[in-house]
Amino acid sequence: MDNAGIEEMFQGLGPVTIKRMFGGKGIYHLGRIVAVEVRDEMQLKADETSAPEFAAAGATQWAYEGKKGKTVKMPYWSIPEEAYDDPDLMAKWVRLAYEAALRAES
């Protein structure tokens, strides 16, 4: 995804900074990471408070196979499909990601 597309996706949150990282991109709002783009898929930050809402909407948690074949779950979730066609719904999800980022630093 190009940077203009990412900025549009996050417009409901406000301005974002996009930084290249580990073969993808990190998306930051007010200095806090709110999302990562990995293998051309955007993943929003979630935590124990917001993850159930992501799961209920059909989103999936980013996981990879770590050392010795153990699955490592990351605190990032896919964006529910219906949000891609609805800017108001996308704004809801990106705000949830920012709220998780704020809680992570408390």
Side-chain angles (χ1 to χ4, degrees):
M1 179 176 289
D2 66 13
N3 288 1
I6 292 171
E7 290 168 352
E8 182 178 333
M9 180 181 288
F10 286 86
Q11 70 185 2
L13 186 58
V16 294
T17 303
I18 302 162
K19 299 180 183 178
R20 300 225 28 95
M21 59 190 311
F22 50 84
K25 297 177 181 178
I27 294 80
Y28 296 79
H29 177 65
L30 299 176
R32 293 177 173 87
I33 190 162
V34 295
V36 292
E37 182 190 47
V38 180
R39 290 182 224 100
D40 296 322
E41 184 177 354
M42 190 62 65
Q43 304 281 328
L44 297 177
K45 187 168 189 72
D47 60 8
E48 63 279 347
T49 300
S50 58
E53 194 166 347
F54 277 87
T60 56
Q61 187 173 11
W62 175 28
Y64 66 91
E65 189 174 316
K67 294 180 181 178
K68 301 179 184 174
K70 183 176 179 177
T71 300
V72 178
K73 292 184 176 184
M74 300 298 290
Y76 296 93
W77 288 70
S78 63
I79 299 172
E81 286 299 317
E82 62 274 9
Y84 286 99
D85 296 325
D86 184 336
D88 292 331
L89 196 51
M90 182 63 78
K92 169 196 168 183
W93 292 109
V94 298
R95 280 192 300 269
L96 281 175
Y98 181 63
E99 291 166 6
L102 289 173
R103 287 190 294 271
E105 293 195 8
S106 350

